[in-house]
Amino acid sequence: MALSIWLAFFTASWAISFSPGPGALCAMASGLKYGFRHSVWTLVGLQAGIICQMFIVALGVGALLATSEWAFTVVKWIGAAYLVYLGVRQFRTDAAPVVVEARPPKSAHPVRDQLLRGYLVNITNPKGTMFLLAVVPQFLDLNRPLSMQYFLIGATLCFTDLVAMSCYTSLASRILRMLRKPGHIRWLNRSFGSMFILAGTVLASFSHKH
C-alpha cells in the first residue's frame, strides 16, 4: 500500500472512529459503571468486533449482506435486539453512588462479560460491516497483495477506534467522579439506557439500500 493511500485512510479513520454510534455508547456506559481503568476489556471487545468485521469484508461475506435482503435482515434484527437489551439493563442499573477510586469487586465487572458485550455491540451491527464494505475497497491497490493491505487497514482502524473509545470512556468516568447522589447516577443510567434503545430502534429501521 502506497504511503499516500495509507495516510488518506488514516485521516478518514479518525472521523470514522469518533463518529457517535453503538460502540461509543458502549464505551461510555462502561466508563460510567466501572471507571476508565476497569473498562479496558470492554474496549478490547470492541476492537475484536472490528477485527471480525474486517475478516467478514475481506472474505466477501460483506457482499452477501449487501445483496441478500434475508441475511441482512437477520443480522440487523439481532443487533437491534441486543442494543435494546443493553438499554433496558442500563436503564434498570442500581443507582447507588459509585466510588471510582476504590477497586470494585471482581464480580462487579467480569472480564468475560465486558469482552462479550464490546464484541457483540460491534459484530451485530451490519451498518458497520456495510460501511467497511463501501469504504475499504476505495483504499485497496488490486495490483498488490490484498492480505497485507487488509491487515494495515484493520490495524489502523483498530488504533484510531481504540483512541476514540478511550476518550469516550474517560469522559464518562470523569463525569462519574463528580457524582455522589443516587438520583444523579440514576438519571445518567436512564439516559444511556434510552440512547441504547434509540440506537437499536434506528438500527432496526436501517435498510441495506441506504
Side-chain angles (χ1 to χ4, degrees), residues 179-200:
L179 302 178
R180 290 295 178 265
K181 295 182 179 180
H184 293 164
I185 297 177
R186 182 182 296 111
W187 179 82
L188 271 181
N189 281 330
R190 290 181 176 178
S191 296
F192 275 105
S194 298
M195 284 189 286
F196 267 122
I197 294 173
L198 177 61

Side-chain angles (χ1 to χ4, degrees), residues 1 54 57-58 136-137 140 145-155:
M1 177 180 290
M54 282 299 302
V57 171
V136 169
L140 294 176
L146 293 179
S147 57
M148 181 56 68
Q149 294 183 68
Y150 277 119
F151 173 79
L152 288 174
I153 289 174

Side-chain angles (χ1 to χ4, degrees), residues 61 63-78 126:
V61 180
L64 174 64
L65 293 179
T67 58
S68 173
E69 182 72 30
W70 179 84
F72 181 88
T73 300
V74 169
V75 175
K76 178 185 72 173
W77 281 106
I78 290 175

Side-chain angles (χ1 to χ4, degrees), residues 79-91:
Y82 185 66
L83 288 175
V84 172
Y85 164 75
L86 289 181
V88 172
R89 285 194 59 181
Q90 187 76 24
F91 197 91

Side-chain angles (χ1 to χ4, degrees), residues 113-161:
D113 287 357
Q114 288 199 61
L115 282 170
L116 187 61
R117 171 178 290 198
Y119 175 77
L120 288 177
V121 163
N122 270 345
I123 199 63
T124 60
N125 181 9
K127 189 173 182 179
T129 304
M130 294 283 289
F131 184 80
L132 288 177
L133 185 64
V135 171
V136 169
Q138 300 180 39
F139 296 92
L140 294 176
D141 184 348
L142 300 182
N143 296 318
R144 300 186 181 187
L146 293 179
S147 57
M148 181 56 68
Q149 294 183 68
Y150 277 119
F151 173 79
L152 288 174
I153 289 174
T156 301
L157 188 56
C158 281
F159 170 75
T160 57
D161 191 75

